[in-house]
Amino acid sequence: MRDSKLPYATAVLVLGISSIALCCCYGVPGILTGIIALFLYRRDKRIYEKDKEKYNNFDSLKTGRTLSIIGMSMSSLYLLYLLFAYSMVGEAGLSNPSLLLKKIEKTYKKNNS
């Protein structure tokens, strides 16, 4: 009797993949797509819990959820890195990582002296 598909399972999977792919775009798009994927996952999971035997694509829904969590984590880490780089060096540090490394080395040497 497993012939029906959950309505948002494919969308959750695509949004989960795109949250990983978009994590390098300053973090924000990856976080947004991950949040949308988790919201849609929650809707589909409620539908699935009502009649488990009716649906056959719950595995892709779970995979999309996992990918969106990974994408949101990576996006958050990248956003934190950008905020750190901006606070240490300024706007120039975002385009030139060697400036950021020099600033960190100076700070480290100053604190250890």
Side-chain angles (χ1 to χ4, degrees):
M1 178 125 194
R2 294 178 158 238
D3 57 349
S4 296
K5 294 191 180 283
L6 291 165
Y8 298 113
T10 304
V12 171
L13 189 60
V14 169
L15 287 168
I17 292 169
S18 31
S19 72
I20 291 176
L22 294 173
C23 74
C24 297
C25 298
Y26 298 105
V28 178
I31 293 171
L32 291 176
T33 54
I35 289 171
I36 294 169
L38 290 178
F39 176 75
L40 293 176
Y41 167 81
R42 194 174 68 197
R43 286 178 117 186
D44 263 3
K45 185 164 185 204
R46 285 185 199 148
I47 294 170
Y48 179 75
E49 291 294 325
K50 289 179 184 176
D51 192 8
K52 293 181 180 183
E53 290 84 29
K54 186 177 177 183
Y55 302 104
N56 62 0
N57 61 343
F58 188 69
D59 288 336
S60 65
L61 187 70
K62 289 190 307 186
T63 304
R65 176 181 176 255
T66 304
L67 291 174
S68 64
I69 291 171
I70 292 170
M72 286 175 52
S73 302
M74 290 172 53
S75 297
S76 299
L77 287 173
Y78 188 66
L79 188 61
L80 288 174
Y81 163 75
L82 290 175
L83 292 173
F84 172 74
Y86 187 77
S87 68
M88 288 291 287
V89 182
E91 199 170 325
L94 298 178
S95 62
N96 190 356
S98 62
L99 290 175
L100 179 63
L101 290 175
K102 288 177 185 176
K103 178 73 174 182
I104 291 173
E105 287 174 358
K106 285 181 186 178
T107 305
Y108 181 73
K109 287 179 184 178
K110 187 167 90 172
N111 287 339
N112 284 339
S113 297

